[in-house]
Amino acid sequence: MHMKSSMRWLALLPVAVMAAAVACRDDTVAPQLTPSDAPQRVLTGSITDEYTAGTPVHGAIFTTTPDGDVVNGNTKYTQKIEVYLDGGPRNANSQAAGLPDGLYVFQITDPPGKLLLSKDPARCRVVQVDGGVIKGTVAVASIPGQDPAAADVWGGSGSTKNNPCHVEDAPEGAAGASGQHDTNADTELGGGTTVQMMPFFDTPNNGGVYKAWITPLKAYLEKGGNLNTQTAGVYSSSPRTLIGYAPDPGFKNPGRNFVKTDNFKVVENPPFIRISKILDGAPYTGWPVTVYELIEGEWVGAGFRPTVATFAIPLGTDVQLLACEAILAGSAPVSATVGGVNAPRVTGGTPAVPTTDGQGHELFCVAVPGTASATTIDVVFTNASPDARISISPLDDTNGIGEPHVLTALVQQDDKKAANTGGGDAVTGFGPAPNGTLVTLSLTNSNGATATFVGGNTCTTTSGTCTVTINSPTAGTVVIHATTTFSVNGVSLTRSTGPGLATAVGDDARKIYSAGSLSWVKIDAATPPRYLAGATFRVRRTHDRFGAAVSTPDLSVTDNVAPDANSADGQFLVAGLPLGRYCIKETAAPAGYLLDPTEQCGDLVSTLNLSIASPNGSANPFVNSLEGRMTGGSGKIEITLPNNGGTLTISTGFTIHCDITLSNNIEINWPGNRWHLDKPIKTATCLDDPNVIPDQPDAPFDTFLGTAEGALNGQAISRISFTFVDGDGSPGGKANDRVSLTIWNTQGQVVLSFTNLPIKGNLQAHEDQPHK
């Protein structure tokens, strides 16, 4: 068998994708598929057979690829259609292998030559040699001795239909799909034409070995060959399958001097590389892949094929092949597997692994080991489109009105380049967007909010984040939306936050602005109390809701005048206040009443979404006292204590004023004890009890309630609480003047207590007289 060692890749033709593929090569650029306009090479016209009968045949024949690239003995054809006949010299400087010019008949048999495997009659298998090389097939009508009108067809194997003897399939240089003696130009030195040897039956040889024969037409006819008939078919016993014919007598004696032969192998169940792609988790077709032979530096087959593509590979464990994908524009390689095992990207080397497909697409190649088994090696390239996302934090929050709120936008990108693919990110998955990425935010107010951006509604990222600030002077809900556009892997991506999206993907943010409210009441000390109209209060904010001291203008609130939102007399409500701690103090009392001197301050309010009041939900009533004073007349007051406790006396000169800033005098004596006032009265409330009807003189009040501190038996501090009721007026002495009091010692223990006891003497309520 004639061999050539420089080319081993006869069998590397795509099988599943394109049957007729170009088999030429380009060491730098993947070959492109182009239709052929090569002329038909079936020779017609007057054919002169120059061979002299009885002359030995010199030269050589060999089987080859469609383009005449001779294969070596270790290479096996993967399909019968790949086997072509060639002959003549392979060296421009030698004519030793040239065949004698003339007409020849070829055949295919099993290796011993016992079974004729060629299916068509010999008249379809006639070629012409000129200049020592095969120039083409000969049309049936042009064979000397044949009917000039004979059609270039044959009946087929057991078929009644006519089949062409010869066919020229485009493109030039590819195997003819029909297998009916296609021809191609021989691209190797010596020129000539290659002739497809199909159709022929399978060989009975277990190794897939066949024998190609050629003999001069004249010698064939002299030995009894018949151009127009075939011998009876030969069948195997089990199963009954047609495997060939009896030997053709035209190739028998008188000896081997008149035939040339070449053995070849066809293994039609070779190993295959099957390349497929996954894009974003789904199979992807239509983007080119290929196989590259590293040592030879050749594209295998006809170069790039759309996925899913299948390539036959040569047997042998020494094969060094690369499966390559052209990376999808705008996407990135994530991983590649060969036979289900992760495979790293192959780059560099000698010869260098190709980096592009010659059309501007980056290549991603992985090594595929050679194999001697008839199996399919799956190569799966996983690609992914770049991705990006944007989110806002905090996603949901509540603020007090007037509180600036900072929002952080996080922009991330995922170029999908895995670290093991070469040139990938150090960290796979989502990472920060490029510095300077612009984020634009917008807001929608509802439920009364009037939020605006403080300092603008755009920001640019640093390490993927940027911030904006919003504020609202009124309570309500604010929805903040963010959007950005930037390029990842050359692909422009726009991402926006939106309602209902996961946090990482990017919900719109929602801020609730809350306002506080204060409520309090203005009453007198009557039972039941009566609301008093006409007071004015000072409201001041002392701390924000986080406990930080603040200094803001005081708010003056007059009953039933804005900002008082409660139209009822003596009942106050101020709403829409910033959250925090407030203090309330009366600054103007209703006519005829004294100011309540107390300033009430609420607890620090840190709970949001709460309509706050001071303190702890509601202010204590602000109680006003009438003006006036109460005295003991001109004498002392006596009270008989219960349980034989003796007599208590309140000394002459007893005087107390509703306005506690004025001077007061109280001295109380009972058996073994003396208590006297030595400090100003702490609290004093003078009221007109509707259930008490005093006599003359007229006074604005009849009941005095108070607390004070004094000395008990010379020991300070002793507390007292008292109620003095002028029930009958002057000159008194009647039982309707009554006293209640409790005295505590310095240890806080009650030493005297009684309620509503009548007096002997006179309690008198008077209009007050200015004095110091």
Side-chain angles (χ1 to χ4, degrees), residues 67-85:
D67 61 358
D69 201 352
V70 185
V71 298
N72 65 29
N74 293 325
T75 300
K76 304 168 183 63
Y77 298 92
T78 61
Q79 298 181 94
K80 296 175 185 177
I81 61 173
E82 301 166 358
V83 186
Y84 279 65
L85 176 66

Side-chain angles (χ1 to χ4, degrees), residues 394-569:
L395 194 60
D396 291 298
D397 200 1
T398 307
N399 290 79
I401 61 173
E403 296 176 1
H405 180 73
V406 177
L407 293 157
T408 299
L410 172 62
V411 184
Q412 296 175 297
Q413 67 175 3
D414 184 1
D415 62 12
K416 299 299 175 70
K417 291 182 179 179
N420 67 346
T421 61
D425 295 335
V427 179
T428 60
F430 281 97
N435 291 345
T437 298
L438 180 68
V439 179
T440 302
L441 296 98
S442 61
L443 55 79
T444 303
N445 289 310
S446 62
N447 302 325
T450 55
T452 57
F453 288 97
V454 180
N457 69 321
T458 62
C459 59
T460 55
T461 61
T462 300
S463 298
T465 64
C466 64
T467 60
V468 296
T469 302
I470 64 171
N471 203 347
S472 178
T474 56
T477 302
V478 184
V479 175
I480 303 94
H481 177 79
T483 185
T484 185
T485 299
F486 64 102
S487 180
V488 183
N489 283 355
V491 178
S492 179
L493 300 177
T494 297
R495 294 294 184 266
S496 300
T497 59
L501 297 176
T503 301
V505 177
D507 258 339
D508 285 342
R510 187 178 68 131
K511 307 300 168 191
I512 297 176
Y513 275 92
S514 290
S517 64
L518 294 172
S519 62
W520 67 96
V521 295
K522 178 69 175 176
I523 61 175
D524 65 9
T527 303
R530 293 167 294 187
Y531 291 106
L532 302 179
T536 298
F537 288 83
R538 179 191 69 190
V539 176
R540 66 188 182 98
R541 184 175 182 234
T542 63
H543 297 77
D544 64 18
R545 67 184 176 98
F546 303 105
V550 296
S551 178
T552 58
D554 294 343
L555 185 66
S556 181
V557 182
T558 299
D559 194 14
N560 294 330
V561 177
D564 179 16
N566 190 327
S567 60
D569 290 346

Side-chain angles (χ1 to χ4, degrees), residues 321-345:
L321 297 177
L322 301 177
C324 303
E325 67 159 335
I327 300 174
L328 291 164
S331 69
V334 176
S335 64
T337 60
V338 176
V341 178
N342 287 333
R345 186 175 191 173

Side-chain angles (χ1 to χ4, degrees), residues 151-418:
D152 197 41
V153 297
W154 62 285
S157 177
S159 172
T160 58
K161 68 179 181 179
N162 289 330
N163 296 310
C165 284
H166 308 102
V167 63
E168 176 68 22
D169 291 325
E172 172 69 22
S178 68
Q180 294 165 354
H181 306 315
D182 172 40
T183 58
N184 284 290
D186 186 346
T187 60
E188 293 294 320
L189 291 174
T193 299
T194 62
V195 178
Q196 192 176 38
M197 305 184 77
M198 279 281 285
F200 52 85
F201 287 112
D202 293 343
T203 178
N205 180 272
N206 292 331
V209 179
Y210 297 79
K211 184 183 287 291
W213 302 63
I214 191 170
T215 189
L217 173 62
K218 293 177 180 178
Y220 176 83
L221 295 174
E222 286 178 354
K223 289 183 283 184
N226 189 329
L227 292 176
N228 297 306
T229 62
Q230 296 166 293
T231 58
V234 176
Y235 293 86
S236 64
S237 59
S238 179
R240 184 172 173 77
T241 303
L242 182 66
I243 61 172
Y245 301 99
D248 187 333
F251 285 88
K252 288 187 178 182
N253 293 328
R256 295 286 181 175
N257 290 334
F258 300 94
V259 296
K260 295 295 178 180
T261 64
D262 187 24
N263 285 3
F264 63 91
K265 290 183 179 181
V266 178
V267 179
E268 293 197 284
N269 186 25
F272 288 92
I273 297 175
R274 182 170 57 201
I275 308 175
S276 58
K277 276 192 178 185
I278 302 295
L279 177 64
D280 294 333
Y284 187 83
T285 59
W287 197 258
V289 295
T290 192
V291 174
Y292 187 79
E293 204 293 304
L294 188 58
I295 295 178
E296 296 288 340
E298 297 176 326
W299 299 108
V300 171
F304 287 90
R305 294 294 180 217
T307 54
V308 175
T310 304
F311 297 82
I313 64 174
L315 296 176
T317 57
D318 61 339
V319 176
Q320 296 189 38
L321 297 177
L322 301 177
C324 303
E325 67 159 335
I327 300 174
L328 291 164
S331 69
V334 176
S335 64
T337 60
V338 176
V341 178
N342 287 333
R345 186 175 191 173
V346 178
T347 58
T350 304
V353 174
T355 58
T356 68
D357 65 352
Q359 300 183 51
H361 300 124
E362 180 186 359
L363 288 185
F364 182 89
C365 299
V366 294
V368 181
T371 178
S373 61
T375 186
T376 298
I377 301 175
D378 276 300
V379 179
V380 180
F381 291 103
T382 300
N383 283 223
S385 300
D387 199 0
R389 63 191 184 192
I390 183 172
S391 59
I392 305 174
S393 64
L395 194 60
D396 291 298
D397 200 1
T398 307
N399 290 79
I401 61 173
E403 296 176 1
H405 180 73
V406 177
L407 293 157
T408 299
L410 172 62
V411 184
Q412 296 175 297
Q413 67 175 3
D414 184 1
D415 62 12
K416 299 299 175 70
K417 291 182 179 179

